Amino acid sequence: MQYLVAAVVLVGLLCMVNMLLTVGVIRRLRSQSLPSSMPAEGLSPGARVPQFAAMTTSGEPISDELLGGPALVGFFSRGCQPCKDLLPLFVERARGTSDAVLAVVVADPGEDSAADIERLAEVARVVTEVPQGPLQTAFKVNAYPTVITIDAGDTVVSSGHTMPVEVKAP
């Protein structure tokens, strides 16, 4: 019986040591997690609109000079659930603004993005491109969705993964 009590006490002590080590590891991981100053996807606020040139799905050329400000620019990926959730909000915002609107649909060759393109084409100039395409590179986008607002001076006002609050130039 003494051996059984000793074994139970030993297992209990080992469990306590294991729990303390686990708590220490969790604290260490939390302190080393992503820094809060990690930049948002896309150009940071205050940056100038980069030079770019592309052809819309309707055959119209678009560039930094032709976009003009203020503008709303959205990047959407075909297989992305947050993109599907944000797309109706983007379309609604685009319908209610007089700003220029550019939508970039990112899809691998062979992916059917016609429904998204058709929906966006009602309210925006739409460009399609493959992942890491020229517009994504110019706007520093590598996660989707990304929505960028630009003011009349061709300066980025906001950039992020959600619809920004309505921003009016003074």
Side-chain angles (χ1 to χ4, degrees):
M1 188 68 167
Q2 293 173 340
Y3 292 115
L4 184 58
V5 170
V8 169
V9 169
L10 181 61
V11 168
L13 288 173
L14 287 174
C15 287
M16 290 297 289
V17 169
N18 185 28
M19 186 175 69
L20 289 173
L21 290 173
T22 302
V23 168
V25 168
I26 290 171
R27 283 187 177 184
R28 178 93 181 223
L29 288 173
R30 283 185 180 168
S31 70
Q32 292 178 353
S33 65
L34 294 174
S36 60
S37 62
M38 185 174 160
E41 300 300 334
L43 296 172
S44 30
R48 303 282 297 160
V49 173
Q51 291 185 346
F52 69 90
M55 191 68 68
T56 66
T57 55
S58 62
E60 171 189 2
I62 184 79
S63 68
D64 53 308
E65 295 170 354
L66 296 174
L67 181 63
L72 178 65
V73 181
F75 291 84
F76 301 93
S77 179
R78 177 69 186 115
C80 151
Q81 185 58 45
C83 295
K84 291 177 186 174
D85 297 340
L86 186 67
L87 193 71
L89 298 172
F90 184 85
V91 169
E92 183 180 323
R93 171 68 70 83
R95 272 197 182 100
T97 185
S98 60
D99 298 350
V101 181
L102 174 65
V104 180
V105 177
V106 179
D108 285 314
E111 281 187 309
D112 183 22
S113 54
D116 292 341
I117 293 169
E118 183 178 325
R119 194 167 181 191
L120 288 164
E122 296 173 8
V123 295
R125 291 181 266 184
V126 181
V127 174
T128 59
E129 62 182 24
V130 297
Q132 288 82 42
L135 284 175
Q136 297 158 75
T137 303
F139 283 90
K140 299 181 181 177
V141 173
N142 56 16
Y144 308 98
T146 297
V147 178
I148 299 171
T149 55
I150 302 166
D151 68 9
D154 288 338
T155 302
V156 173
V157 175
S158 68
S159 175
H161 301 298
T162 60
M163 283 305 298
V165 293
E166 194 69 37
V167 177
K168 292 290 181 190

